[in-house]
Amino acid sequence: MTDEKIDDVDKAILYALQEDARNMSSGDIAERTGTSDSTVRKRIQRLESDGVIKGYSASVDYQKSGYPLRMLLYCTAAIPERGDLVSDILAIDGVVSVQELVTGEQNLLVTAVGETDSDVTPVAQELLDMGLTVADEVLVRSHETTPFGKFNSKTQTGDDS
Amino acid sequence: MTDEKIDDVDKAILYALQEDARNMSSGDIAERTGTSDSTVRKRIQRLESDGVIKGYSASVDYQKSGYPLRMLLYCTAAIPERGDLVSDILAIDGVVSVQELVTGEQNLLVTAVGETDSDVTPVAQELLDMGLTVADEVLVRSHETTPFGKFNSKTQTGDDS
DNA sequence: GATGAAATATATTCTAT
DNA sequence: ATAGAATATATTTCATC
């Protein structure tokens, strides 16, 4: 709940951990920020307990791991709302992400991954069982992410070499 | 290029690293898989060099870090295609993800993050400068991700307690 | 916040199965 | 391809300034 008190050192930490959460040590980040590793470690702990850092995750190439199908499912919640609707959707096997959209109708964007269509069909079924209407399904050909540029003090173009 | 040879141990490794890429040691994963830590380390190295693991990234709550605006920009590529179009888009400041969609018209889904609308407007402008048409913009209220259930041998519901 | 030393954990290399 | 043992390195924890 202690929002907004993110200074440049915090941003540099967030950027570094977005670049490589597994191999970036506190000492490495300390060099970048001109602080000490113990300071960095304390900052990280604070960012974690404040919920600014939600976790650390490996980004997997699902295509190469044998799950070439990535699907976007646009859903409409028929029932007004339930508290843990998002959690329930995340628990569906094959779902990797849920986003609440601020459009009137299609207010949930669910991303599902699978081997074939027959993996995604039951996901859609489970969503229906929850009282959701699947308004549209879109296949994703590729998906790439990048660290957030505004956490990087040096350049604002995404290039930090 | 060595796809498809992902066995159960690999899946367990991927799942573990999706759960916590920073604090999950090779030894921890070895316990789960009933193998040794040296085996796990070699597997991870292979998964990394094969590109199955693309990287390790901290998931940041942009809202709590002072960037409450998350926007989906649906784009159409006017020019047929260019090889590094996606890379160029990822390099735009504020862009955190690009997905190629397999629909006819709106074939690119760009996710941008910012402090206010005035952070997202220049992103749309840069996309235009690249020859892209921004067909639609959708505000995202929340965004959550989860490890891929099919990497988890135990349960297929997303719950592993 | 920063520093330094002790304790712990982790990674690397090599050897063997 | 996996596991084990030894060494080297890195990281965390804690006391201190």
mmCIF file of all heavy atoms in Angstrom, chain A residues 97-132:
data_model
loop_
_atom_site.group_PDB
_atom_site.id
_atom_site.type_symbol
_atom_site.label_atom_id
_atom_site.label_comp_id
_atom_site.label_asym_id
_atom_site.label_seq_id
_atom_site.Cartn_x
_atom_site.Cartn_y
_atom_site.Cartn_z
ATOM 1 N N SER A 97 -2.883 -16.242 -18.672
ATOM 2 C CA SER A 97 -3.058 -14.835 -18.321
ATOM 3 C C SER A 97 -4.511 -14.399 -18.430
ATOM 4 O O SER A 97 -5.267 -14.897 -19.280
ATOM 5 C CB SER A 97 -2.154 -13.972 -19.215
ATOM 6 O OG SER A 97 -2.807 -12.840 -19.708
ATOM 7 N N VAL A 98 -4.910 -13.496 -17.566
ATOM 8 C CA VAL A 98 -6.251 -12.913 -17.601
ATOM 9 C C VAL A 98 -6.124 -11.402 -17.450
ATOM 10 O O VAL A 98 -5.421 -10.919 -16.558
ATOM 11 C CB VAL A 98 -7.145 -13.458 -16.468
ATOM 12 C CG1 VAL A 98 -8.511 -12.778 -16.500
ATOM 13 C CG2 VAL A 98 -7.317 -14.967 -16.573
ATOM 14 N N GLN A 99 -6.787 -10.682 -18.325
ATOM 15 C CA GLN A 99 -6.795 -9.235 -18.239
ATOM 16 C C GLN A 99 -8.231 -8.738 -18.200
ATOM 17 O O GLN A 99 -9.072 -9.196 -18.969
ATOM 18 C CB GLN A 99 -6.076 -8.610 -19.445
ATOM 19 C CG GLN A 99 -4.644 -9.088 -19.591
ATOM 20 C CD GLN A 99 -3.889 -8.377 -20.711
ATOM 21 O OE1 GLN A 99 -3.708 -7.178 -20.686
ATOM 22 N NE2 GLN A 99 -3.439 -9.145 -21.694
ATOM 23 N N GLU A 100 -8.506 -7.827 -17.284
ATOM 24 C CA GLU A 100 -9.814 -7.174 -17.237
ATOM 25 C C GLU A 100 -9.761 -5.944 -18.114
ATOM 26 O O GLU A 100 -8.910 -5.075 -17.929
ATOM 27 C CB GLU A 100 -10.151 -6.757 -15.804
ATOM 28 C CG GLU A 100 -10.433 -7.899 -14.858
ATOM 29 C CD GLU A 100 -10.872 -7.365 -13.498
ATOM 30 O OE1 GLU A 100 -12.074 -7.125 -13.309
ATOM 31 O OE2 GLU A 100 -9.998 -7.189 -12.630
ATOM 32 N N LEU A 101 -10.667 -5.876 -19.068
ATOM 33 C CA LEU A 101 -10.692 -4.748 -19.995
ATOM 34 C C LEU A 101 -11.756 -3.747 -19.589
ATOM 35 O O LEU A 101 -12.767 -4.111 -18.986
ATOM 36 C CB LEU A 101 -10.949 -5.253 -21.415
ATOM 37 C CG LEU A 101 -10.003 -6.353 -21.898
ATOM 38 C CD1 LEU A 101 -10.337 -6.744 -23.337
ATOM 39 C CD2 LEU A 101 -8.546 -5.903 -21.798
ATOM 40 N N VAL A 102 -11.557 -2.501 -19.947
ATOM 41 C CA VAL A 102 -12.466 -1.440 -19.535
ATOM 42 C C VAL A 102 -13.437 -1.094 -20.664
ATOM 43 O O VAL A 102 -13.928 0.001 -20.759
ATOM 44 C CB VAL A 102 -11.667 -0.190 -19.068
ATOM 45 C CG1 VAL A 102 -12.590 0.885 -18.517
ATOM 46 C CG2 VAL A 102 -10.684 -0.583 -17.983
ATOM 47 N N THR A 103 -13.658 -2.051 -21.552
ATOM 48 C CA THR A 103 -14.702 -1.843 -22.549
ATOM 49 C C THR A 103 -16.021 -2.326 -21.975
ATOM 50 O O THR A 103 -16.040 -3.102 -21.017
ATOM 51 C CB THR A 103 -14.397 -2.640 -23.827
ATOM 52 O OG1 THR A 103 -13.985 -3.947 -23.459
ATOM 53 C CG2 THR A 103 -13.311 -1.961 -24.611
ATOM 54 N N GLY A 104 -17.093 -1.877 -22.569
ATOM 55 C CA GLY A 104 -18.396 -2.221 -22.038
ATOM 56 C C GLY A 104 -18.712 -3.703 -22.118
ATOM 57 O O GLY A 104 -19.109 -4.322 -21.131
ATOM 58 N N GLU A 105 -18.474 -4.272 -23.258
ATOM 59 C CA GLU A 105 -18.955 -5.631 -23.462
ATOM 60 C C GLU A 105 -17.915 -6.722 -23.187
ATOM 61 O O GLU A 105 -18.030 -7.472 -22.238
ATOM 62 C CB GLU A 105 -19.480 -5.773 -24.906
ATOM 63 C CG GLU A 105 -20.819 -5.090 -25.111
ATOM 64 C CD GLU A 105 -21.902 -5.620 -24.185
ATOM 65 O OE1 GLU A 105 -22.098 -6.849 -24.115
ATOM 66 O OE2 GLU A 105 -22.552 -4.796 -23.497
ATOM 67 N N GLN A 106 -16.914 -6.805 -24.021
ATOM 68 C CA GLN A 106 -15.921 -7.863 -23.825
ATOM 69 C C GLN A 106 -14.943 -7.445 -22.738
ATOM 70 O O GLN A 106 -13.914 -6.839 -23.003
ATOM 71 C CB GLN A 106 -15.173 -8.135 -25.131
ATOM 72 C CG GLN A 106 -15.979 -8.919 -26.132
ATOM 73 C CD GLN A 106 -15.743 -8.461 -27.549
ATOM 74 O OE1 GLN A 106 -16.593 -7.882 -28.185
ATOM 75 N NE2 GLN A 106 -14.544 -8.741 -28.027
ATOM 76 N N ASN A 107 -15.278 -7.773 -21.514
ATOM 77 C CA ASN A 107 -14.509 -7.222 -20.416
ATOM 78 C C ASN A 107 -13.439 -8.141 -19.849
ATOM 79 O O ASN A 107 -12.807 -7.824 -18.866
ATOM 80 C CB ASN A 107 -15.448 -6.738 -19.307
ATOM 81 C CG ASN A 107 -16.514 -7.765 -18.986
ATOM 82 O OD1 ASN A 107 -16.501 -8.864 -19.526
ATOM 83 N ND2 ASN A 107 -17.405 -7.415 -18.096
ATOM 84 N N LEU A 108 -13.238 -9.298 -20.478
ATOM 85 C CA LEU A 108 -12.168 -10.165 -20.001
ATOM 86 C C LEU A 108 -11.391 -10.724 -21.190
ATOM 87 O O LEU A 108 -11.982 -11.223 -22.152
ATOM 88 C CB LEU A 108 -12.738 -11.326 -19.179
ATOM 89 C CG LEU A 108 -13.098 -11.027 -17.729
ATOM 90 C CD1 LEU A 108 -13.790 -12.234 -17.107
ATOM 91 C CD2 LEU A 108 -11.867 -10.671 -16.918
ATOM 92 N N LEU A 109 -10.088 -10.631 -21.103
ATOM 93 C CA LEU A 109 -9.239 -11.177 -22.152
ATOM 94 C C LEU A 109 -8.391 -12.301 -21.554
ATOM 95 O O LEU A 109 -7.510 -12.055 -20.739
ATOM 96 C CB LEU A 109 -8.343 -10.078 -22.739
ATOM 97 C CG LEU A 109 -7.275 -10.504 -23.745
ATOM 98 C CD1 LEU A 109 -7.845 -11.410 -24.823
ATOM 99 C CD2 LEU A 109 -6.623 -9.272 -24.378
ATOM 100 N N VAL A 110 -8.720 -13.513 -21.952
ATOM 101 C CA VAL A 110 -8.059 -14.698 -21.408
ATOM 102 C C VAL A 110 -7.087 -15.247 -22.453
ATOM 103 O O VAL A 110 -7.446 -15.412 -23.613
ATOM 104 C CB VAL A 110 -9.095 -15.788 -21.047
ATOM 105 C CG1 VAL A 110 -8.403 -17.050 -20.553
ATOM 106 C CG2 VAL A 110 -10.077 -15.257 -20.005
ATOM 107 N N THR A 111 -5.860 -15.509 -22.023
ATOM 108 C CA THR A 111 -4.887 -16.119 -22.924
ATOM 109 C C THR A 111 -4.691 -17.572 -22.536
ATOM 110 O O THR A 111 -4.386 -17.879 -21.385
ATOM 111 C CB THR A 111 -3.540 -15.385 -22.866
ATOM 112 O OG1 THR A 111 -3.741 -14.003 -23.153
ATOM 113 C CG2 THR A 111 -2.561 -15.975 -23.876
ATOM 114 N N ALA A 112 -4.892 -18.453 -23.505
ATOM 115 C CA ALA A 112 -4.738 -19.886 -23.259
ATOM 116 C C ALA A 112 -3.686 -20.462 -24.190
ATOM 117 O O ALA A 112 -3.534 -20.017 -25.325
ATOM 118 C CB ALA A 112 -6.065 -20.609 -23.465
ATOM 119 N N VAL A 113 -2.973 -21.449 -23.680
ATOM 120 C CA VAL A 113 -1.920 -22.104 -24.450
ATOM 121 C C VAL A 113 -2.210 -23.599 -24.496
ATOM 122 O O VAL A 113 -2.740 -24.160 -23.536
ATOM 123 C CB VAL A 113 -0.540 -21.848 -23.812
ATOM 124 C CG1 VAL A 113 0.540 -22.689 -24.475
ATOM 125 C CG2 VAL A 113 -0.187 -20.368 -23.888
ATOM 126 N N GLY A 114 -1.907 -24.229 -25.616
ATOM 127 C CA GLY A 114 -2.128 -25.664 -25.720
ATOM 128 C C GLY A 114 -1.380 -26.290 -26.873
ATOM 129 O O GLY A 114 -0.696 -25.609 -27.639
ATOM 130 N N GLU A 115 -1.538 -27.603 -26.958
ATOM 131 C CA GLU A 115 -0.852 -28.350 -28.010
ATOM 132 C C GLU A 115 -1.643 -28.259 -29.321
ATOM 133 O O GLU A 115 -1.080 -28.041 -30.384
ATOM 134 C CB GLU A 115 -0.742 -29.806 -27.558
ATOM 135 C CG GLU A 115 0.443 -30.556 -28.109
ATOM 136 C CD GLU A 115 0.526 -31.954 -27.522
ATOM 137 O OE1 GLU A 115 0.012 -32.160 -26.396
ATOM 138 O OE2 GLU A 115 1.106 -32.828 -28.186
ATOM 139 N N THR A 116 -2.937 -28.466 -29.200
ATOM 140 C CA THR A 116 -3.823 -28.410 -30.362
ATOM 141 C C THR A 116 -5.102 -27.689 -29.966
ATOM 142 O O THR A 116 -5.275 -27.286 -28.820
ATOM 143 C CB THR A 116 -4.191 -29.827 -30.846
ATOM 144 O OG1 THR A 116 -4.953 -30.466 -29.817
ATOM 145 C CG2 THR A 116 -2.946 -30.651 -31.146
ATOM 146 N N ASP A 117 -6.002 -27.582 -30.920
ATOM 147 C CA ASP A 117 -7.298 -26.970 -30.653
ATOM 148 C C ASP A 117 -8.033 -27.707 -29.546
ATOM 149 O O ASP A 117 -8.754 -27.096 -28.754
ATOM 150 C CB ASP A 117 -8.160 -26.999 -31.923
ATOM 151 C CG ASP A 117 -7.576 -26.148 -33.025
ATOM 152 O OD1 ASP A 117 -7.757 -24.925 -32.962
ATOM 153 O OD2 ASP A 117 -6.931 -26.720 -33.909
ATOM 154 N N SER A 118 -7.820 -29.007 -29.490
ATOM 155 C CA SER A 118 -8.547 -29.796 -28.512
ATOM 156 C C SER A 118 -8.116 -29.478 -27.078
ATOM 157 O O SER A 118 -8.750 -29.928 -26.133
ATOM 158 C CB SER A 118 -8.356 -31.292 -28.797
ATOM 159 O OG SER A 118 -6.985 -31.603 -28.876
ATOM 160 N N ASP A 119 -7.018 -28.735 -26.931
ATOM 161 C CA ASP A 119 -6.639 -28.277 -25.595
ATOM 162 C C ASP A 119 -7.361 -26.994 -25.217
ATOM 163 O O ASP A 119 -7.581 -26.725 -24.029
ATOM 164 C CB ASP A 119 -5.119 -28.032 -25.530
ATOM 165 C CG ASP A 119 -4.337 -29.320 -25.332
ATOM 166 O OD1 ASP A 119 -4.927 -30.320 -24.896
ATOM 167 O OD2 ASP A 119 -3.127 -29.320 -25.616
ATOM 168 N N VAL A 120 -7.694 -26.213 -26.223
ATOM 169 C CA VAL A 120 -8.297 -24.904 -25.954
ATOM 170 C C VAL A 120 -9.815 -25.002 -25.821
ATOM 171 O O VAL A 120 -10.429 -24.241 -25.064
ATOM 172 C CB VAL A 120 -7.911 -23.893 -27.062
ATOM 173 C CG1 VAL A 120 -8.543 -22.540 -26.795
ATOM 174 C CG2 VAL A 120 -6.393 -23.753 -27.138
ATOM 175 N N THR A 121 -10.380 -25.943 -26.520
ATOM 176 C CA THR A 121 -11.832 -26.109 -26.458
ATOM 177 C C THR A 121 -12.338 -26.287 -25.022
ATOM 178 O O THR A 121 -13.272 -25.595 -24.608
ATOM 179 C CB THR A 121 -12.280 -27.296 -27.327
ATOM 180 O OG1 THR A 121 -11.771 -27.111 -28.651
ATOM 181 C CG2 THR A 121 -13.794 -27.371 -27.382
ATOM 182 N N PRO A 122 -11.740 -27.180 -24.243
ATOM 183 C CA PRO A 122 -12.218 -27.323 -22.857
ATOM 184 C C PRO A 122 -12.047 -26.067 -22.022
ATOM 185 O O PRO A 122 -12.793 -25.861 -21.068
ATOM 186 C CB PRO A 122 -11.374 -28.475 -22.304
ATOM 187 C CG PRO A 122 -10.242 -28.631 -23.241
ATOM 188 C CD PRO A 122 -10.719 -28.178 -24.567
ATOM 189 N N VAL A 123 -11.068 -25.241 -22.363
ATOM 190 C CA VAL A 123 -10.913 -23.965 -21.655
ATOM 191 C C VAL A 123 -12.156 -23.109 -21.895
ATOM 192 O O VAL A 123 -12.758 -22.573 -20.956
ATOM 193 C CB VAL A 123 -9.654 -23.204 -22.121
ATOM 194 C CG1 VAL A 123 -9.593 -21.823 -21.475
ATOM 195 C CG2 VAL A 123 -8.394 -23.999 -21.792
ATOM 196 N N ALA A 124 -12.538 -23.008 -23.165
ATOM 197 C CA ALA A 124 -13.736 -22.235 -23.510
ATOM 198 C C ALA A 124 -14.963 -22.805 -22.799
ATOM 199 O O ALA A 124 -15.824 -22.060 -22.313
ATOM 200 C CB ALA A 124 -13.939 -22.244 -25.020
ATOM 201 N N GLN A 125 -15.012 -24.131 -22.710
ATOM 202 C CA GLN A 125 -16.141 -24.782 -22.040
ATOM 203 C C GLN A 125 -16.184 -24.407 -20.563
ATOM 204 O O GLN A 125 -17.253 -24.091 -20.023
ATOM 205 C CB GLN A 125 -16.022 -26.303 -22.213
ATOM 206 C CG GLN A 125 -17.205 -27.062 -21.634
ATOM 207 C CD GLN A 125 -18.535 -26.614 -22.242
ATOM 208 O OE1 GLN A 125 -18.678 -26.519 -23.455
ATOM 209 N NE2 GLN A 125 -19.491 -26.280 -21.384
ATOM 210 N N GLU A 126 -15.026 -24.440 -19.931
ATOM 211 C CA GLU A 126 -14.978 -24.089 -18.506
ATOM 212 C C GLU A 126 -15.389 -22.640 -18.279
ATOM 213 O O GLU A 126 -16.013 -22.313 -17.267
ATOM 214 C CB GLU A 126 -13.570 -24.341 -17.943
ATOM 215 C CG GLU A 126 -13.255 -25.822 -17.765
ATOM 216 C CD GLU A 126 -12.179 -26.052 -16.712
ATOM 217 O OE1 GLU A 126 -12.360 -25.572 -15.578
ATOM 218 O OE2 GLU A 126 -11.159 -26.704 -17.032
ATOM 219 N N LEU A 127 -14.999 -21.789 -19.215
ATOM 220 C CA LEU A 127 -15.393 -20.387 -19.102
ATOM 221 C C LEU A 127 -16.915 -20.259 -19.189
ATOM 222 O O LEU A 127 -17.527 -19.500 -18.429
ATOM 223 C CB LEU A 127 -14.713 -19.563 -20.207
ATOM 224 C CG LEU A 127 -13.192 -19.409 -20.075
ATOM 225 C CD1 LEU A 127 -12.588 -18.829 -21.353
ATOM 226 C CD2 LEU A 127 -12.839 -18.522 -18.882
ATOM 227 N N LEU A 128 -17.493 -21.026 -20.106
ATOM 228 C CA LEU A 128 -18.955 -21.035 -20.234
ATOM 229 C C LEU A 128 -19.606 -21.505 -18.942
ATOM 230 O O LEU A 128 -20.585 -20.931 -18.467
ATOM 231 C CB LEU A 128 -19.370 -21.946 -21.391
ATOM 232 C CG LEU A 128 -19.162 -21.402 -22.810
ATOM 233 C CD1 LEU A 128 -19.383 -22.496 -23.846
ATOM 234 C CD2 LEU A 128 -20.084 -20.221 -23.062
ATOM 235 N N ASP A 129 -19.013 -22.565 -18.374
ATOM 236 C CA ASP A 129 -19.555 -23.108 -17.133
ATOM 237 C C ASP A 129 -19.523 -22.086 -15.998
ATOM 238 O O ASP A 129 -20.291 -22.165 -15.044
ATOM 239 C CB ASP A 129 -18.754 -24.351 -16.718
ATOM 240 C CG ASP A 129 -18.932 -25.491 -17.715
ATOM 241 O OD1 ASP A 129 -19.846 -25.405 -18.558
ATOM 242 O OD2 ASP A 129 -18.154 -26.462 -17.650
ATOM 243 N N MET A 130 -18.598 -21.143 -16.109
ATOM 244 C CA MET A 130 -18.494 -20.101 -15.089
ATOM 245 C C MET A 130 -19.506 -18.984 -15.311
ATOM 246 O O MET A 130 -19.557 -18.028 -14.531
ATOM 247 C CB MET A 130 -17.091 -19.482 -15.119
ATOM 248 C CG MET A 130 -16.015 -20.371 -14.541
ATOM 249 S SD MET A 130 -14.448 -19.514 -14.635
ATOM 250 C CE MET A 130 -13.383 -20.677 -13.784
ATOM 251 N N GLY A 131 -20.217 -19.080 -16.400
ATOM 252 C CA GLY A 131 -21.179 -18.033 -16.699
ATOM 253 C C GLY A 131 -20.642 -16.965 -17.613
ATOM 254 O O GLY A 131 -21.188 -15.862 -17.711
ATOM 255 N N LEU A 132 -19.547 -17.280 -18.279
ATOM 256 C CA LEU A 132 -18.951 -16.311 -19.198
ATOM 257 C C LEU A 132 -19.306 -16.648 -20.642
ATOM 258 O O LEU A 132 -19.444 -17.825 -21.001
ATOM 259 C CB LEU A 132 -17.422 -16.315 -19.055
ATOM 260 C CG LEU A 132 -16.867 -15.815 -17.721
ATOM 261 C CD1 LEU A 132 -15.378 -16.135 -17.623
ATOM 262 C CD2 LEU A 132 -17.095 -14.329 -17.577
#
